[in-house]
Amino acid sequence: MENAINRRSFLKLAGLGSVVLVTGCAGMGKGSQQASSDFYFVQLTDTHWGFKGPAVNPDNTGTLPKAIAAVNALNPPPDFVVFTGDLTHISEDPAVRRQRMQEFKTMAAQITVPVVHYMPGEHDASLDNGAVFQEFFGATHYTFDHKGVHFIVLDNVSDPHAKVGDAQLQWLADDLARQPHDARIIVFTHRPLFDLYPRWDWATTDGDKVLAVLEPYANVTVFYGHIHQEHHHLTGHIAHHAGQGLMFALPAPGSQPQRTPVPWNAAAPYHGLGFREVTEPAAAVMPVLHELPVQGAWS
């Protein structure tokens, strides 16, 4: 694994959409709080367990196990794994929702990394305000700390209007008030917090309020899912990184009239699918990401 990468190399790799390694927190200054030691974690997203559509993924029940096997084969293993939402594909039938959630949980239990964090996507939570998700995985928003980095998991999907909401905003403000302004902060969300492409639901209705609360903090990086593709964006000094999904790819924002999945390419199976390593070296000056394709990681 690479331990450092300059911005030019990172952007070149990100543009290729292949293997990318990301480390640290964007914009971290000299006075920033340092991580106590190097570590990395893995982000998996948009597994959509229960989805059926052979035209876009004929291996709908095999892709997630392949990704889990690839994660389990990482050496050294990551400190933790995080799923950034849409664990399951949406169903209006609560019984089917529970069945898919249980099947996903059983599948995810095969991950050998001891610590796995979960958060919902709108497919998991928007029809019942996150009730079934909470039955299986607990709270939809929470924080944790790891080796000098403060992690914040935000829920911008349980509200059917794609809002974080005033109560969670106050909770976020109260949590951040306990952090120094140079704290190393990583935020996980499902939807983007900025208006990437609202016509396709690629935005958070009150994301501007979330960013206003985060803005005074110098070292904030946001990782999210939802758009099923790698994407990098800056709002002021805050970097936002979307990861590839693990069921089907989606087109670039606004590149076609409808947000229809990208057809499966038999000549390049699993193209556009994958997961991400995020490395946090103690002396990083910018994030370093490592994008891993499902097939490449497996074969």
Side-chain angles (χ1 to χ4, degrees):
M1 181 191 312
E2 296 179 54
N3 289 322
I5 188 166
N6 63 36
R7 179 173 293 274
R8 178 175 296 178
S9 298
F10 166 65
L11 292 175
K12 180 180 178 182
L13 288 168
L16 290 172
S18 55
V19 179
V20 183
L21 184 63
V22 179
T23 44
C25 286
M28 190 174 70
K30 293 181 178 179
S32 299
Q33 194 178 58
Q34 298 292 305
S36 58
S37 62
D38 292 3
F39 71 93
Y40 83 99
F41 64 88
V42 166
Q43 177 194 9
L44 301 101
T45 193
D46 294 276
T47 51
H48 285 265
W49 188 256
F51 171 84
K52 295 178 181 177
V56 296
N57 190 341
D59 188 27
N60 61 313
T61 60
T63 304
L64 177 57
K66 288 178 174 64
I68 290 174
V71 171
N72 289 342
L74 292 172
N75 185 22
D79 278 26
F80 65 85
V81 172
V82 59
F83 283 91
T84 50
D86 281 357
L87 314 179
T88 61
H89 199 65
I90 197 166
S91 171
E92 294 186 354
D93 185 337
V96 173
R97 276 208 299 281
R98 285 188 174 85
Q99 178 185 350
R100 290 178 179 177
M101 207 70 77
Q102 180 60 63
E103 290 173 353
F104 173 86
K105 188 173 183 177
T106 300
M107 192 72 64
Q110 298 176 25
I111 295 173
T112 56
V113 179
V115 178
V116 182
H117 297 284
Y118 301 92
M119 60 181 294
E122 84 281 5
H123 280 254
D124 306 307
S126 63
L127 294 182
D128 60 6
N129 200 30
V132 170
F133 174 90
Q134 291 178 66
E135 288 178 19
F136 286 87
F137 298 107
T140 61
H141 64 278
Y142 54 93
T143 68
F144 62 95
D145 295 284
H146 187 76
K147 295 184 177 178
V149 181
H150 187 59
F151 292 86
I152 302 172
V153 177
L154 288 180
D155 175 2
N156 58 359
V157 297
S158 293
D159 185 303
H161 301 293
K163 295 175 61 176
V164 169
D166 292 343
Q168 194 179 176
L169 279 167
Q170 186 59 55
W171 168 86
L172 174 64
D174 292 344
D175 173 73
L176 289 173
R178 295 188 288 272
Q179 303 297 323
H181 279 200
D182 65 350
R184 299 178 66 171
I185 296 171
I186 289 182
V187 178
F188 296 124
T189 70
H190 183 66
R191 288 188 172 97
L193 291 174
F194 62 95
D195 287 351
L196 175 57
Y197 200 66
R199 285 182 57 189
W200 286 2
D201 184 35
W202 289 1
T204 300
T205 307
D206 54 357
D208 56 337
K209 295 180 180 179
V210 177
L211 294 175
V213 175
L214 291 168
E215 196 277 335
Y217 295 84
N219 307 305
V220 178
T221 305
V222 180
F223 292 95
Y224 67 102
H226 191 52
I227 68 170
H228 295 225
Q229 61 196 278
E230 188 185 352
H231 190 272
H232 309 277
H233 182 75
L234 281 174
T235 56
H237 63 278
I238 299 175
H240 305 255
H241 304 287
Q244 299 176 96
L246 281 168
M247 184 57 80
F248 52 85
L250 287 172
S255 59
Q256 59 187 50
Q258 301 297 322
R259 189 193 57 190
T260 50
V262 176
W264 180 264
N265 183 353
Y270 310 101
H271 178 70
L273 308 182
F275 61 97
R276 164 181 290 161
E277 295 179 358
V278 181
T279 303
E280 284 288 330
V285 294
M286 63 173 289
V288 180
L289 315 177
H290 192 183
E291 309 292 342
L292 293 170
V294 172
Q295 189 178 44
W298 173 248
S299 58

Coordinates of all heavy atoms in Angstrom, one line a residue, residues 135-192:
E135 N -33.7 -1.7 13.9 CA -33.9 -3.0 14.5 C -32.7 -3.9 14.3 O -32.3 -4.7 15.2 CB -35.1 -3.7 13.9 CG -36.5 -3.2 14.3 CD -37.6 -3.9 13.5 OE1 -37.3 -5.0 13.0 OE2 -38.7 -3.3 13.4
F136 N -32.0 -3.8 13.2 CA -30.9 -4.6 12.9 C -29.5 -4.0 13.2 O -28.6 -4.7 13.6 CB -30.9 -5.0 11.4 CG -32.0 -6.0 11.1 CD1 -33.3 -5.6 10.8 CD2 -31.7 -7.4 11.1 CE1 -34.3 -6.5 10.5 CE2 -32.7 -8.3 10.8 CZ -34.0 -7.9 10.5
F137 N -29.4 -2.7 13.1 CA -28.1 -2.1 13.2 C -28.0 -0.9 14.2 O -26.9 -0.4 14.3 CB -27.6 -1.6 11.8 CG -27.5 -2.7 10.8 CD1 -28.5 -2.9 9.8 CD2 -26.5 -3.6 10.8 CE1 -28.4 -3.9 8.8 CE2 -26.4 -4.7 9.9 CZ -27.3 -4.8 8.9
G138 N -29.0 -0.6 14.8 CA -28.9 0.5 15.8 C -29.2 1.9 15.3 O -29.8 2.1 14.3
A139 N -28.5 2.8 15.9 CA -28.8 4.3 15.6 C -28.4 4.6 14.2 O -27.5 4.0 13.6 CB -28.0 5.1 16.6
T140 N -29.1 5.5 13.6 CA -28.8 6.0 12.2 C -27.8 7.1 12.2 O -27.4 7.5 11.1 CB -30.1 6.4 11.5 OG1 -30.7 7.5 12.2 CG2 -31.1 5.2 11.4
H141 N -27.6 7.8 13.3 CA -26.5 8.8 13.4 C -25.8 8.7 14.7 O -26.5 8.4 15.8 CB -27.1 10.2 13.2 CG -28.0 10.7 14.2 ND1 -29.3 10.4 14.2 CD2 -27.8 11.5 15.3 CE1 -29.9 11.0 15.2 NE2 -29.0 11.7 15.9
Y142 N -24.5 8.8 14.7 CA -23.7 8.6 15.9 C -22.3 9.1 15.6 O -21.9 9.5 14.5 CB -23.7 7.1 16.3 CG -23.3 6.2 15.2 CD1 -21.9 5.7 15.0 CD2 -24.2 5.7 14.3 CE1 -21.6 4.8 14.0 CE2 -23.8 4.8 13.3 CZ -22.5 4.4 13.1 OH -22.2 3.5 12.1
T143 N -21.4 9.1 16.6 CA -20.0 9.4 16.5 C -19.2 8.3 17.1 O -19.6 7.5 17.9 CB -19.7 10.8 17.2 OG1 -19.8 10.6 18.6 CG2 -20.6 11.9 16.7
F144 N -17.9 8.3 16.7 CA -16.9 7.5 17.3 C -15.6 8.1 17.1 O -15.4 8.9 16.2 CB -17.0 6.0 16.9 CG -16.7 5.8 15.4 CD1 -15.4 5.5 14.9 CD2 -17.7 5.9 14.5 CE1 -15.2 5.3 13.6 CE2 -17.5 5.7 13.1 CZ -16.2 5.4 12.7
D145 N -14.6 7.8 17.9 CA -13.2 8.3 17.8 C -12.3 7.1 17.6 O -12.5 6.0 18.1 CB -12.8 9.1 19.0 CG -13.7 10.3 19.2 OD1 -13.4 11.3 18.5 OD2 -14.6 10.3 20.0
H146 N -11.3 7.4 16.7 CA -10.3 6.3 16.5 C -8.9 6.9 16.2 O -8.8 7.7 15.2 CB -10.8 5.5 15.3 CG -9.9 4.3 15.0 ND1 -10.0 3.1 15.8 CD2 -8.9 4.0 14.1 CE1 -9.1 2.2 15.4 NE2 -8.5 2.8 14.3
K147 N -8.0 6.6 17.0 CA -6.6 7.1 16.9 C -6.5 8.5 16.5 O -5.8 8.9 15.5 CB -5.9 6.2 15.8 CG -5.8 4.7 16.3 CD -5.0 3.9 15.3 CE -4.9 2.4 15.8 NZ -4.2 1.6 14.8
G148 N -7.1 9.4 17.2 CA -7.0 10.8 17.1 C -7.9 11.5 16.0 O -7.8 12.7 15.8
V149 N -8.8 10.7 15.4 CA -9.7 11.2 14.4 C -11.1 11.1 14.9 O -11.5 10.0 15.5 CB -9.6 10.5 13.0 CG1 -10.5 11.0 12.0 CG2 -8.1 10.6 12.5
H150 N -11.9 12.1 14.8 CA -13.3 12.1 15.2 C -14.2 11.8 14.0 O -14.2 12.6 13.0 CB -13.7 13.5 15.8 CG -15.0 13.5 16.4 ND1 -15.4 12.7 17.5 CD2 -16.1 14.3 16.2 CE1 -16.6 13.0 17.8 NE2 -17.1 13.9 17.0
F151 N -15.0 10.7 14.1 CA -15.8 10.3 13.0 C -17.3 10.6 13.4 O -17.7 10.4 14.5 CB -15.7 8.8 12.8 CG -14.3 8.4 12.2 CD1 -13.3 8.2 13.1 CD2 -14.2 8.3 10.9 CE1 -12.0 7.8 12.6 CE2 -12.9 7.9 10.3 CZ -11.8 7.7 11.2
I152 N -18.0 11.2 12.4 CA -19.4 11.6 12.6 C -20.2 10.9 11.5 O -20.0 11.1 10.3 CB -19.6 13.1 12.5 CG1 -18.7 13.8 13.5 CG2 -21.1 13.5 12.7 CD1 -18.7 15.3 13.4
V153 N -21.2 10.1 11.9 CA -22.1 9.5 10.9 C -23.4 10.2 10.9 O -24.1 10.4 12.0 CB -22.4 8.0 11.3 CG1 -23.4 7.3 10.4 CG2 -21.1 7.2 11.4
L154 N -23.8 10.8 9.8 CA -25.0 11.6 9.7 C -26.1 10.9 8.9 O -25.7 10.2 7.9 CB -24.7 12.9 9.0 CG -23.9 14.0 9.7 CD1 -23.7 15.2 8.8 CD2 -24.6 14.4 11.0
D155 N -27.3 11.1 9.3 CA -28.4 10.4 8.6 C -29.2 11.5 7.8 O -29.8 12.4 8.3 CB -29.4 9.9 9.7 CG -30.7 9.3 9.1 OD1 -30.8 9.3 7.9 OD2 -31.5 8.9 9.9
N156 N -29.0 11.4 6.4 CA -29.7 12.3 5.6 C -30.7 11.6 4.6 O -30.9 12.0 3.5 CB -28.8 13.2 4.8 CG -27.8 12.5 3.9 OD1 -27.8 11.2 3.9 ND2 -26.9 13.2 3.2
V157 N -31.2 10.4 5.2 CA -32.0 9.6 4.4 C -33.3 9.1 5.0 O -34.3 8.8 4.4 CB -31.3 8.3 3.9 CG1 -30.1 8.6 3.1 CG2 -30.8 7.5 5.2
S158 N -33.4 9.1 6.4 CA -34.6 8.6 7.0 C -35.8 9.6 6.8 O -36.9 9.2 6.8 CB -34.3 8.5 8.6 OG -33.4 7.4 8.8
D159 N -35.4 10.9 6.7 CA -36.5 11.9 6.4 C -36.8 11.7 4.9 O -35.9 11.8 4.1 CB -35.9 13.3 6.7 CG -37.0 14.4 6.5 OD1 -37.6 14.4 5.4 OD2 -37.3 15.1 7.4
P160 N -38.1 11.5 4.6 CA -38.4 11.3 3.2 C -38.2 12.5 2.3 O -38.2 12.4 1.1 CB -39.9 10.9 3.3 CG -40.4 11.5 4.6 CD -39.2 11.4 5.5
H161 N -37.9 13.7 2.9 CA -37.6 14.9 2.1 C -36.1 15.1 2.0 O -35.7 16.2 1.7 CB -38.3 16.1 2.8 CG -39.8 15.9 2.9 ND1 -40.6 15.9 1.7 CD2 -40.6 15.8 3.9 CE1 -41.9 15.7 2.1 NE2 -41.9 15.6 3.4
A162 N -35.3 14.1 2.3 CA -33.9 14.2 2.2 C -33.3 15.2 3.1 O -32.3 15.9 2.6 CB -33.5 14.4 0.7
K163 N -33.8 15.4 4.3 CA -33.3 16.4 5.2 C -32.5 15.7 6.3 O -32.8 14.6 6.8 CB -34.4 17.2 5.8 CG -35.2 18.1 4.8 CD -36.3 18.8 5.4 CE -35.9 19.7 6.5 NZ -37.1 20.4 7.1
V164 N -31.5 16.4 6.9 CA -30.9 16.0 8.1 C -31.9 16.4 9.3 O -32.0 15.6 10.2 CB -29.5 16.7 8.3 CG1 -29.0 16.5 9.7 CG2 -28.6 16.1 7.3
G165 N -32.4 17.6 9.2 CA -33.4 18.0 10.2 C -32.8 18.8 11.3 O -31.7 18.7 11.7
D166 N -33.7 19.6 11.9 CA -33.2 20.5 13.0 C -32.7 19.8 14.2 O -31.7 20.2 14.8 CB -34.4 21.5 13.4 CG -34.7 22.4 12.3 OD1 -33.9 22.6 11.3 OD2 -35.8 23.0 12.4
A167 N -33.3 18.7 14.6 CA -32.8 18.0 15.8 C -31.4 17.4 15.6 O -30.6 17.6 16.5 CB -33.8 16.9 16.2
Q168 N -31.2 16.8 14.4 CA -29.9 16.3 14.2 C -28.8 17.4 14.0 O -27.7 17.2 14.4 CB -29.9 15.3 13.0 CG -28.7 14.5 12.9 CD -28.7 13.5 11.7 OE1 -27.8 12.8 11.4 NE2 -29.8 13.5 10.9
L169 N -29.3 18.5 13.4 CA -28.3 19.6 13.2 C -27.9 20.1 14.6 O -26.7 20.5 14.8 CB -29.0 20.7 12.4 CG -29.0 20.6 10.9 CD1 -30.0 21.6 10.3 CD2 -27.6 20.8 10.4
Q170 N -28.8 20.2 15.6 CA -28.4 20.7 16.9 C -27.5 19.6 17.6 O -26.5 20.0 18.2 CB -29.7 20.9 17.7 CG -29.4 21.5 19.1 CD -28.7 22.8 19.0 OE1 -29.2 23.7 18.4 NE2 -27.5 23.0 19.6
W171 N -27.8 18.4 17.4 CA -27.0 17.3 17.9 C -25.6 17.4 17.3 O -24.6 17.3 18.0 CB -27.6 15.9 17.5 CG -26.7 14.8 17.7 CD1 -26.5 14.0 18.9 CD2 -25.8 14.1 16.8 NE1 -25.6 13.0 18.7 CE2 -25.2 13.1 17.4 CE3 -25.6 14.4 15.4 CZ2 -24.3 12.3 16.7 CZ3 -24.7 13.6 14.7 CH2 -24.0 12.5 15.4
L172 N -25.5 17.7 16.0 CA -24.2 17.9 15.4 C -23.4 19.1 15.9 O -22.2 19.0 16.3 CB -24.4 18.0 13.9 CG -23.1 18.4 13.1 CD1 -22.1 17.2 13.1 CD2 -23.5 18.7 11.6
A173 N -24.1 20.2 16.1 CA -23.5 21.4 16.6 C -23.0 21.1 18.1 O -21.9 21.6 18.4 CB -24.5 22.5 16.6
D174 N -23.8 20.4 18.9 CA -23.4 20.1 20.2 C -22.1 19.2 20.3 O -21.2 19.4 21.1 CB -24.5 19.5 21.0 CG -25.7 20.4 21.2 OD1 -25.5 21.6 21.1 OD2 -26.8 19.9 21.6
D175 N -22.1 18.3 19.4 CA -20.9 17.4 19.3 C -19.7 18.1 18.9 O -18.6 18.0 19.5 CB -21.2 16.2 18.3 CG -20.0 15.4 18.1 OD1 -19.7 14.6 19.0 OD2 -19.4 15.5 17.0
L176 N -19.8 19.0 17.8 CA -18.7 19.7 17.4 C -18.2 20.7 18.4 O -17.0 21.1 18.4 CB -19.0 20.4 16.0 CG -19.1 19.4 14.8 CD1 -19.6 20.2 13.6 CD2 -17.8 18.7 14.5
A177 N -19.1 21.2 19.2 CA -18.7 22.2 20.2 C -17.6 21.6 21.2 O -16.9 22.4 21.8 CB -19.9 22.7 20.9
R178 N -17.6 20.3 21.3 CA -16.6 19.7 22.2 C -15.3 19.4 21.5 O -14.4 18.8 22.1 CB -17.3 18.4 22.7 CG -18.5 18.6 23.6 CD -19.0 17.3 24.3 NE -19.6 16.4 23.3 CZ -20.9 16.4 23.0 NH1 -21.7 17.3 23.6 NH2 -21.3 15.5 22.1
Q179 N -15.2 19.7 20.2 CA -14.0 19.4 19.4 C -13.2 20.7 19.2 O -13.8 21.8 19.0 CB -14.4 18.8 18.1 CG -15.2 17.6 18.1 CD -14.4 16.4 18.8 OE1 -13.2 16.3 18.6 NE2 -15.2 15.6 19.5
P180 N -11.9 20.7 19.3 CA -11.1 21.8 18.9 C -11.2 22.1 17.4 O -11.5 21.2 16.6 CB -9.6 21.4 19.2 CG -9.7 19.9 19.2 CD -11.0 19.5 19.6
H181 N -11.0 23.4 17.0 CA -11.3 23.7 15.6 C -10.3 23.1 14.7 O -10.5 23.2 13.4 CB -11.4 25.3 15.5 CG -12.7 25.8 15.9 ND1 -13.2 27.0 15.5 CD2 -13.7 25.3 16.6 CE1 -14.4 27.3 16.0 NE2 -14.7 26.2 16.7
D182 N -9.1 22.6 15.2 CA -8.2 21.9 14.3 C -8.3 20.4 14.4 O -7.4 19.7 14.0 CB -6.8 22.4 14.5 CG -6.3 22.0 15.9 OD1 -7.1 21.6 16.8 OD2 -5.1 22.2 16.2
A183 N -9.4 19.9 15.0 CA -9.6 18.5 15.1 C -9.6 17.8 13.7 O -10.1 18.4 12.8 CB -10.9 18.2 15.9
R184 N -9.2 16.6 13.7 CA -9.3 15.8 12.4 C -10.7 15.2 12.4 O -11.0 14.3 13.3 CB -8.2 14.8 12.3 CG -6.8 15.5 12.3 CD -5.7 14.4 12.2 NE -5.7 13.7 11.0 CZ -4.7 12.9 10.6 NH1 -3.7 12.7 11.4 NH2 -4.8 12.3 9.4
I185 N -11.5 15.6 11.5 CA -12.9 15.1 11.5 C -13.2 14.5 10.1 O -13.0 15.0 9.1 CB -13.8 16.3 11.7 CG1 -13.6 16.9 13.1 CG2 -15.3 15.9 11.5 CD1 -14.3 18.2 13.3
I186 N -13.8 13.3 10.2 CA -14.3 12.6 9.0 C -15.8 12.4 9.2 O -16.3 11.9 10.2 CB -13.6 11.3 8.8 CG1 -12.2 11.6 8.3 CG2 -14.3 10.4 7.7 CD1 -11.4 10.3 8.0
V187 N -16.6 12.8 8.2 CA -18.0 12.7 8.2 C -18.5 11.6 7.2 O -18.0 11.7 6.0 CB -18.7 14.0 7.8 CG1 -20.2 13.9 7.8 CG2 -18.3 15.1 8.9
F188 N -19.3 10.7 7.6 CA -19.9 9.8 6.7 C -21.4 10.1 6.4 O -22.1 10.4 7.4 CB -19.9 8.4 7.2 CG -18.5 7.8 7.4 CD1 -18.0 7.4 8.7 CD2 -17.6 7.7 6.4 CE1 -16.8 6.8 8.8 CE2 -16.3 7.2 6.5 CZ -15.9 6.8 7.8
T189 N -21.8 10.2 5.2 CA -23.2 10.5 4.9 C -23.6 9.5 3.7 O -22.7 8.9 3.1 CB -23.5 11.9 4.4 OG1 -22.9 12.1 3.1 CG2 -23.0 12.9 5.4
H190 N -24.8 9.4 3.4 CA -25.2 8.6 2.2 C -25.4 9.6 1.0 O -24.7 9.4 0.1 CB -26.5 7.9 2.5 CG -26.9 7.0 1.3 ND1 -26.1 6.0 0.9 CD2 -27.9 7.1 0.4 CE1 -26.6 5.4 -0.2 NE2 -27.7 6.1 -0.6
R191 N -26.3 10.5 1.1 CA -26.4 11.5 0.1 C -25.2 12.5 0.1 O -24.7 12.8 1.2 CB -27.7 12.3 0.1 CG -29.0 11.5 -0.2 CD -30.2 12.4 -0.3 NE -31.3 11.7 -0.8 CZ -32.3 11.2 0.0 NH1 -32.2 11.2 1.3 NH2 -33.4 10.6 -0.6
P192 N -24.9 13.2 -1.0 CA -24.0 14.3 -0.9 C -24.6 15.4 -0.1 O -25.8 15.7 -0.1 CB -23.8 14.7 -2.4 CG -25.0 14.2 -3.1 CD -25.4 13.0 -2.4

